[in-house]
Amino acid sequence: MNHYYLLGRSGLRVSRLALGTMNFGVDGFHAAYGKTEEEAEPIFRQYLEAGGNFVDTADFYTAGESEKILGRLIARAGVRERLVLTSKATNTVDPTDPNASGNGRKHIMRAVEASLRRLGTDYIDLYLLHTWDRITPVEEVVHTLDDLVRAGKIRYAGLSDVPAWYAARAQSYAEAHGLAPMINLQLPYSLVTRGIEAEFVSMSQTLGMGLTAWSPIGGGLLSGKYRRTDEGLSGTGRLTNPNAAGREISPGDWKVIEALASVAADLGRSMAQVAINWVATQPAVASVIVGASSPEQLASNFDALDFEIPVDARRRLEGASVPNLGLPYAMFTPQYQSWVVSPGLGIGDKPAGYAPPVFNGAAEPTR
């Protein structure tokens, strides 16, 4: 995995697979599937040995234990400078304090300092809002993130799980006032969660935000370990664990699972590898966040980048998973526009080869 690409409109070089550490720790909200420090260390080491440099955490994960464990693992491995360390803040760290959550300046400033202490570092490479809180003015958020960049507490700023209009407003405000830009937008994206294609993809491409996709296998739904039976869902994992948050599996989900299983069998790959590959090769996606319950599972995820999904197979996957985006988004498709906007004409943005990609290496990896 020794290929790295720029994140958004920045000079920051990141791996195509990022290591998610939401399961590092056994306390708090994510305790149902958490890993102790002893269990997490070989997963972290496996990621480093594969050449990965992009690690994702948040103050909310396992009640702050994820950051503490990650900080100790980084220190023991002596790799702080080579890693692109990402953390996030928005969710509450004290339900009794109204200013201990949200995206106001008071909370973000406190959250950064607390994350720095837990991580055992004096700067965070990429710092994100964890989600939109619906009430803090976007101007306040952008100025706060810019102040943190100028103070050296963070190197780059970004957003996670916010509306497209909010991300566009934040980026446009930053550009207009010469403030630190948002270089990253972290969103859920998979063959069973394609809603971001309506606006986020084109917005990110236009405004210079690289997408990082979380839950590329749909919370385990696309892993291949679940099957439909007469008694319901079979398989061992988060979706069948009564103590963990799951999701309802719709007939449309089963249609995607069946198509994915067929394509994976044809390619001689696991369902998870095909699902991750599909996300990693979608437009605007800079990196895919993968978690793992073992080093072996993580090593298998790395192999997701070692092959190409043939055109016909990709067509089968996308036909089974096509999102119903509704109006007005259906009016923006090539089919609609060639029928109504420019009938009988072939009109595009730029000719093929107008801006060939830059790749400094012996050979460009499979896309």
Side-chain angles (χ1 to χ4, degrees):
M1 197 173 63
N2 294 316
H3 294 120
Y4 308 89
Y5 293 90
L6 299 181
L7 184 59
R9 194 177 296 146
S10 78
L12 187 62
R13 304 163 188 188
V14 299
S15 308
R16 295 183 75 198
L17 293 186
L19 177 64
T21 63
M22 188 172 67
N23 64 336
F24 283 19
V26 293
D27 291 332
F29 187 76
H30 304 97
Y33 47 90
K35 299 295 177 183
T36 65
E37 185 167 338
E38 291 71 24
E39 293 170 322
E41 184 158 19
I43 297 172
F44 178 73
R45 293 278 182 169
Q46 175 71 45
Y47 182 73
L48 296 180
E49 290 168 7
N53 78 334
F54 197 15
V55 181
D56 180 86
T57 186
D59 62 356
F60 184 67
Y61 294 164
T62 54
E65 194 175 354
S66 172
E67 289 185 325
K68 292 177 182 177
I69 290 174
L70 187 56
R72 291 192 290 267
L73 296 181
I74 291 171
R76 282 204 292 274
V79 292
R80 177 63 192 96
E81 288 304 317
R82 65 162 288 188
L83 287 184
V84 176
L85 182 57
T86 304
S87 193
K88 305 179 282 290
T90 294
N91 299 327
T92 186
V93 294
D94 180 0
T96 68
D97 181 358
N99 284 305
S101 65
N103 297 327
R105 175 182 290 267
K106 181 176 176 64
H107 174 59
I108 290 178
M109 290 293 190
R110 180 167 70 173
V112 167
E113 295 294 345
S115 287
L116 290 173
R117 287 194 297 272
R118 284 190 292 266
L119 289 164
T121 185
D122 57 3
Y123 71 97
I124 296 170
D125 295 286
L126 176 63
Y127 197 68
L128 312 177
L129 295 192
H130 208 146
T131 191
W132 181 41
D133 70 0
R134 304 198 306 158
I135 52 178
T136 303
V138 67
E139 298 85 357
E140 179 177 337
V141 171
V142 174
H143 277 288
T144 301
L145 293 174
D146 179 73
D147 286 345
L148 290 170
V149 171
R150 293 175 186 274
K153 302 290 185 179
I154 68 175
R155 298 293 189 256
Y156 295 92
L159 306 167
S160 172
D161 300 333
V162 301
W165 69 261
Y166 184 92
R169 170 66 176 165
Q171 189 74 316
S172 299
Y173 185 85
E175 290 176 347
H177 295 84
L179 305 175
M182 310 296 111
I183 70 164
N184 177 222
L185 182 57
Q186 191 178 117
L187 295 167
Y189 195 22
S190 72
L191 281 164
V192 290
T193 310
R194 293 180 58 186
I196 71 167
E197 293 175 12
E199 290 196 65
F200 286 98
V201 170
S202 57
M203 183 213 67
S204 298
Q205 291 171 322
T206 302
L207 297 182
M209 287 178 276
L211 289 182
T212 48
W214 61 267
S215 198
I217 57 172
L221 184 61
L222 304 177
S223 65
K225 61 185 176 184
Y226 300 106
R227 288 292 184 268
R228 181 163 45 175
T229 68
D230 293 338
E231 291 74 33
L233 183 67
S234 70
T236 301
R238 190 187 315 174
L239 298 181
T240 54
N241 184 346
N243 298 316
R247 60 171 285 173
E248 294 294 326
I249 303 179
S250 69
D253 291 335
W254 284 117
K255 183 180 178 182
V256 175
I257 292 170
E258 289 162 5
L260 178 61
S262 174
V263 168
D266 290 346
L267 298 179
R269 296 284 180 164
S270 73
M271 289 172 62
Q273 288 171 345
V274 175
I276 292 169
N277 182 296
W278 181 84
V279 175
T281 53
Q282 285 296 99
V285 174
S287 188
V288 179
I289 301 172
V290 294
S293 59
S294 68
E296 293 75 22
Q297 184 184 46
L298 188 60
S300 178
N301 288 341
F302 294 150
D303 292 339
L305 302 181
D306 292 343
F307 65 98
E308 184 174 359
I309 301 175
V311 173
D312 64 327
R314 185 176 287 271
R315 190 176 295 119
R316 285 158 56 194
L317 293 173
E318 294 177 357
S321 64
V322 61
N324 181 15
L325 302 178
L327 294 173
Y329 302 106
M331 300 171 69
F332 310 146
T333 63
Q335 295 80 5
Y336 181 93
Q337 300 246 330
S338 63
W339 172 52
V340 175
V341 178
S342 304
L345 300 174
I347 297 176
D349 178 21
K350 302 289 189 300
Y354 176 85
V358 174
F359 185 77
N360 297 322
E364 188 158 8
T366 299
R367 288 176 179 267

